[in-house]
């Protein structure tokens, strides 16, 4: 099979490439194509990928290219991990909303909306070209944020697509040592929307061990949830994702940001500069430890496992972003949810979920309505729909803020595209 990675200049890529090579006993990658519009980054990242593959005695072809058609032609899996505008655009996502008294974050709230506006059209252009050139029945695996919104746009446009986030595998890898078991034995029952999820059960050999995890390791889990109070986890009987801190600790986070806290984008940009300098060393042939500080921990492993299931049809359970159908009662069937699902050659079949409690469902339904409008705004370019999308988001939601906020976001977006 042929796998194409779009946005392969990412510092995640060497780990992803190495993972695909390690899985060759399960599925044969005859051609792996790395594509990026930044030729310099592609050369550096691709060089490390080549050295890692040589070390693993990979027998397939590795191709580095800046030509999108070359990457997509005949591909069986197209993995999209782009960042439109780079880290500079991310910095704007995290800072522009502050002028209107709104939290700045790259995947949720006003910053996430700005990112969706500039990202969705680019991803759809790539997907439409893949529809023309890729192999029949090919899959698009999206790791491009905001994953839920981008995946919804892809599915609305008729593509065979599935979204992927690393939050669930992060919990899996942290919880397994707490239980003294191998991570592969756990199923993290994480439910909600992308970056708006709660772990409501952790299955070990068909037994829910979340109550004992909360009892014995609640403080550690609260720290993983962005430093939310332990009491909150006990009250919910669930572990919120890190991104729920923007809702559950809204005023505290906003005060930190307005008080001059260093934006995450600034930290990540510095880490990336250091990583790329390391990658350029011809003696380096393995993943440096610094990569763990980049964020997106275990993403590459999650992606590799997901590609394996799509290729082999093994029916393994993965937490993915896919159509709701009847999975979460109270949401529309065409909403895109993030839930455990059995994945095979025909895609994802979500596992049955008990109804969400009202304390969870209310927030999920609220943000799902925003995501629907966000896709419409990104596709149509309608100012009216964009205003409604911001008005619908619980981190914005005030008419007096919406118009000046949108103007600021659009001005910054135009600058990022220039």
């Amino acid at each position: 099979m042929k796998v194409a990675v779009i946005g392969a200049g990412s510092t995640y890529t060497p780990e992803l490439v190495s993972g695909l090579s390690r899985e060759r006993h399960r599925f044969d990658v005859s051609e792996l194509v790395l594509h990026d519009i930044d030729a310099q980054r592609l050369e550096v990242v691709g060089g490390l990928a080549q050295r890692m593959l040589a070390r693993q005695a990979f027998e397939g072809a590795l191709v580095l290219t800046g030509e999108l058609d070359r990457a997509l032609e005949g591909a069986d899996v197209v993995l999209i991990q782009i960042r439109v505008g780079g880290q500079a655009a991310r910095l704007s996502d995290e800072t522009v909303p502050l002028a209107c008294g709104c939290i700045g974050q790259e995947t949720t709230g006003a910053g996430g909306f700005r990112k969706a506006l500039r990202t969705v059209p680019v991803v759809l252009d790539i997907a439409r070209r893949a529809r023309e050139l890729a192999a029949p029945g090919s899959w698009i695996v999206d790791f491009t944020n905001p994953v839920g919104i981008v995946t919804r746009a892809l599915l609305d446009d008729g593509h065979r697509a599935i979204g992927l986030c690393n939050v669930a595998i992060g919990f899996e890898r942290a919880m397994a040592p707490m239980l003294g078991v191998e991570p592969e034995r756990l199923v993290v029952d994480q439910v909600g929307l992308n970056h708006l999820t709660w772990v409501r059960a952790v299955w070990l050999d068909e037994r829910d061990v979340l109550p004992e995890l909360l009892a014995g390791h609640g403080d550690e889990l609260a720290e993983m949830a962005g430093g939310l109070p332990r009491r909150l986890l006990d009250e919910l009987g669930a572990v919120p994702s890190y991104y729920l801190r923007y809702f559950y600790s809204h005023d505290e986070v906003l005060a930190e940001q307005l008080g001059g806290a260093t934006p995450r984008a600034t930290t990540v940009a510095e880490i990336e500069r250091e990583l790329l300098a390391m990658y350029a060393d011809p003696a380096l042939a393995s993943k440096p430890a610094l990569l763990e500080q980049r964020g997106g921990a275990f993403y590459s492993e999650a992606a590799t496992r997901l590609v394996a299931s799509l290729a082999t049809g093994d029916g393994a359970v993965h937490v993915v972003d896919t159509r709701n159908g009847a999975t979460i009662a109270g949401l529309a069937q065409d909403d895109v949810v993030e839930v455990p699902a059995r994945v095979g050659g025909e895609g994802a079949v979500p596992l049955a979920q008990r109804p969400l409690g009202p304390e969870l469902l209310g927030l999920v339904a609220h943000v799902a309505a925003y995501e629907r409008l966000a896709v419409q705004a990104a596709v149509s370019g309608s100012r009216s729909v964009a205003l409604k999308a911001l008005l619908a988001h619980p981190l914005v939601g005030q008419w007096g803020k919406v118009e000046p906020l949108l103007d600021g976001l659009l001005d910054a977006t135009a600058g990022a595209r220039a």
Side-chain angles (χ1 to χ4, degrees):
M1 62 183 294
K2 175 179 175 178
V3 176
V5 181
I6 310 302
S10 166
T11 50
Y12 298 127
T13 298
E15 186 179 20
L16 172 65
V17 168
S18 179
L20 291 170
S21 174
R22 286 195 307 270
E23 291 287 339
R24 61 185 181 271
H25 65 286
R26 298 180 61 193
F27 61 96
D28 179 26
V29 178
S30 56
E31 185 178 5
L32 179 58
V33 183
L34 306 183
H35 169 273
D36 205 281
I37 59 174
D38 187 327
Q40 184 175 3
R41 283 185 68 124
L42 182 61
E43 180 181 3
V44 171
V45 174
L48 175 56
Q50 287 173 324
R51 296 191 295 274
M52 293 175 76
L53 290 179
R55 194 177 190 181
Q56 295 179 5
F58 176 67
E59 296 179 354
L62 177 66
V63 177
L64 311 182
T65 182
E67 298 179 11
L68 182 62
D69 286 4
R70 171 67 181 89
L72 296 177
E73 189 172 8
D76 298 285
V77 176
V78 178
L79 199 151
I80 304 178
Q81 53 177 33
I82 64 174
R83 180 180 292 280
V84 180
Q87 293 297 335
R90 175 177 179 167
L91 182 60
S92 292
D93 295 340
E94 295 178 356
T95 54
V96 169
L98 298 178
C100 294
C102 293
I103 282 176
Q105 212 283 324
E106 67 151 344
T107 60
T108 191
F113 179 62
R114 176 175 176 260
K115 184 169 190 177
L117 290 182
R118 69 175 183 272
T119 302
V120 165
V122 176
V123 172
L124 288 180
D125 284 346
I126 293 169
R128 288 164 182 166
R129 195 62 180 150
R131 179 184 282 150
E132 298 175 7
L133 297 174
S138 61
W139 279 98
I140 292 175
V141 176
D142 178 67
F143 187 64
T144 298
N145 278 319
V147 169
I149 292 172
V150 172
T151 302
R152 178 173 190 132
L154 287 165
L155 292 173
D156 287 352
D157 206 46
H159 303 281
R160 278 165 58 94
I162 190 166
L164 180 66
C165 181
N166 71 304
V167 170
I169 194 172
F171 276 124
E172 173 193 294
R173 291 311 167 104
M175 291 171 170
M178 297 175 185
L179 296 164
V181 302
E182 293 299 315
E184 292 75 14
R185 292 181 61 191
L186 297 182
V187 174
V188 175
D189 201 342
Q190 176 177 295
V191 59
L193 309 177
N194 178 243
H195 289 185
L196 195 82
T197 52
W198 297 260
V199 176
R200 297 194 300 164
V202 178
W203 300 103
L204 173 63
D205 301 332
E206 301 184 357
R207 179 171 66 91
D208 180 12
V209 295
L210 181 58
E212 64 188 72
L213 281 167
L214 285 171
H217 301 275
D219 291 342
E220 296 167 69
L221 295 173
E223 189 61 31
M224 286 188 65
L228 290 171
R230 161 72 184 275
R231 169 85 184 279
L232 173 62
L233 278 64
D234 291 335
E235 290 290 341
L236 293 175
V239 183
S241 83
Y242 169 89
Y243 295 91
L244 264 299
R245 69 188 293 265
Y246 297 107
F247 299 84
Y248 290 151
S249 299
H250 175 278
D251 292 355
E252 179 183 340
V253 172
L254 182 59
E256 290 174 0
Q257 293 185 344
L258 291 173
T262 301
R264 175 64 179 165
T266 301
T267 302
V268 169
E270 180 56 35
I271 292 172
E272 285 204 336
R273 280 192 289 271
E274 293 182 41
L275 284 172
L276 290 170
M278 292 178 180
Y279 289 4
D281 180 356
L284 183 68
S286 60
K287 176 184 72 172
L290 181 63
L291 185 56
E292 296 178 8
Q293 299 179 34
R294 166 64 180 82
F298 308 115
Y299 146 66
S300 300
E301 185 171 347
T304 300
R305 285 168 25 178
L306 178 58
V307 170
S309 290
L310 291 171
T312 66
D314 62 14
V317 175
H318 305 267
V319 176
V320 296
D321 289 81
T322 189
R323 290 289 196 201
N324 178 51
T327 308
I328 299 180
L331 297 186
Q333 290 191 359
D334 66 340
D335 284 333
V336 168
V337 296
E338 190 167 289
V339 292
R342 293 200 178 277
V343 178
E346 295 305 311
V349 179
L351 303 184
Q353 291 287 337
R354 68 184 187 276
L356 294 179
E359 70 280 6
L360 308 186
L361 181 60
L363 184 54
V364 169
H366 200 162
V367 177
Y370 151 76
E371 291 191 349
R372 180 183 297 273
L373 290 164
V375 171
Q376 293 176 8
V379 171
S380 69
S382 166
R383 180 179 176 85
S384 176
V385 176
L387 289 170
K388 292 174 184 174
L390 288 172
L391 193 62
H393 201 293
L395 295 182
V396 183
Q398 298 181 60
W399 178 251
K401 293 183 175 182
V402 164
E403 286 207 283
L405 179 57
L406 180 60
D407 289 338
L409 296 175
L410 293 177
D411 287 345
T413 299
R417 287 176 175 169

